[in-house]
């Protein structure tokens, strides 16, 4: 029987992909991992490259639809709720009690998840299986890029020039970006982490 391990990810900046700027490490019960698998409850720490905790994400056990919470110093700052749909992948993102974004992925083989506000303006984008910078040499797990947009094209250097600019309605605040990272962790567990192990880095494109 395959043993489900705790998920771990490296976080890298597209401008300097050689060295991780942070890590995401899951903490969960070994028995729950084997029995509940992708529905297991867990906490994941997001740390900088030195191991200092920045924030956490917490995902309780779920049956029909999943939720994941972003927390700083034990205080909940935001949440992502997955909304049930027969084939589409729909997620609602909240900061406190106020919804600031929705993701309505068409499903099937589309692995681009675009965050939009109530008026349909793009706020950020998460792509799965993005290939670049030779990361396929590091692991055979899935790759992700989180694009926050509003990049100054003139400041791009090296491999970062290959990333197409993302036009956004407004830049996300830091707390909203933490919720977006929580969404990325939830997406990986909802659709891709069937057996656990080391995931490939989230690629954060900064301004």
């Amino acid at each position: 029987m395959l043993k489900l391990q705790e998920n771990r990810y490296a976080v890298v900046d597209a401008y300097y992909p050689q060295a991780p700027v942070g890590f995401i490490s899951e903490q969960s019960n070994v028995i729950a991992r084997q029995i509940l698998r992708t529905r297991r409850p867990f906490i994941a720490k997001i740390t900088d490259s030195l191991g200092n905790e920045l924030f956490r994400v917490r995902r309780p056990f779920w049956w029909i639809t999943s939720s994941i919470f972003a927390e700083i110093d034990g205080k909940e700052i935001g949440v992502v709720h997955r909304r049930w749909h027969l084939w589409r992948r729909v997620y609602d993102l909240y900061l406190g009690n106020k919804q600031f974004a929705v993701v309505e992925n068409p499903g099937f083989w589309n692995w681009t998840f675009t965050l939009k506000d109530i008026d349909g303006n793009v706020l950020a984008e998460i792509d799965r299986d993005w290939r670049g910078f030779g990361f396929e040499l590091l692991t055979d797990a899935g790759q992700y890029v989180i694009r926050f947009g509003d990049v100054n094209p003139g400041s791009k250097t090296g491999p970062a020039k290959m990333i197409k600019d993302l036009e956004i309605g407004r830049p996300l605040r830091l707390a909203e970006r933490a919720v977006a990272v929580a969404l990325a962790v939830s997406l990986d567990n909802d659709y891709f982490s069937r057996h656990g192990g080391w995931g490939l880095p989230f690629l954060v494109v900064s301004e």
Side-chain angles (χ1 to χ4, degrees):
M1 183 179 71
L2 275 169
K3 293 186 67 176
L4 189 69
Q5 301 176 350
E6 292 175 319
N7 281 329
R8 297 176 183 273
Y9 314 85
V11 181
V12 301
D13 189 325
Y15 287 90
Y16 306 98
Q18 298 84 1
V21 297
F23 299 94
I24 303 176
S25 303
E26 176 189 335
Q27 298 176 339
S28 58
N29 180 275
V30 62
I31 297 177
R33 292 199 302 273
Q34 307 314 312
I35 297 175
L36 301 177
R37 303 188 70 77
T38 58
R39 287 182 167 82
R40 69 193 182 279
F42 66 82
I43 291 174
K45 285 182 172 182
I46 291 81
T47 63
D48 62 20
S49 59
L50 300 178
N52 301 307
E53 184 175 321
L54 303 175
F55 64 97
R56 295 185 178 195
V57 298
R58 174 177 56 86
R59 194 159 100 145
F61 165 77
W62 61 278
W63 182 249
I64 302 298
T65 57
S66 63
S67 294
I68 192 165
F69 300 84
E71 302 175 341
I72 296 179
D73 296 329
K75 180 180 178 181
E76 178 187 321
I77 62 169
V79 61
V80 180
H81 295 300
R82 180 183 174 188
R83 199 190 317 164
W84 188 90
H85 192 280
L86 188 59
W87 67 86
R88 295 167 66 191
R89 306 178 182 98
V90 184
Y91 291 82
D92 297 307
L93 289 77
Y94 292 83
L95 196 64
N97 296 321
K98 183 178 181 181
Q99 184 173 359
F100 70 91
V102 63
V103 171
E104 296 181 324
N105 178 282
F108 300 103
W109 298 109
N110 188 309
W111 300 120
T112 298
F113 299 84
T114 303
L115 285 67
K116 296 183 179 180
D117 63 18
I118 191 172
D119 297 318
N121 298 310
V122 174
L123 300 177
E125 191 172 81
I126 300 173
D127 289 325
R128 200 261 180 181
D129 273 345
W130 181 84
R131 299 294 175 183
F133 306 161
F135 285 134
E136 65 275 8
L137 300 178
L138 301 180
T139 180
D140 59 0
Q143 301 182 20
Y144 300 83
V145 56
I146 303 179
R147 303 170 64 200
F148 291 119
D150 199 24
V151 178
N152 179 6
S155 67
K156 286 187 175 183
T157 60
K161 291 181 178 179
M162 296 186 296
I163 300 178
K164 183 179 178 181
D165 291 334
L166 178 68
E167 294 185 11
I168 57 174
R170 67 170 178 85
L172 293 179
R173 301 192 295 272
L174 286 177
E176 292 171 328
R177 294 187 181 203
V179 178
V181 172
L183 169 63
V185 173
S186 190
L187 292 173
D188 184 47
N189 281 270
D190 283 343
Y191 305 113
F192 310 116
S193 293
R194 299 307 179 193
H195 304 302
W198 280 90
L200 199 77
F202 289 94
L203 311 181
V204 182
V205 181
S206 60
E207 292 83 358

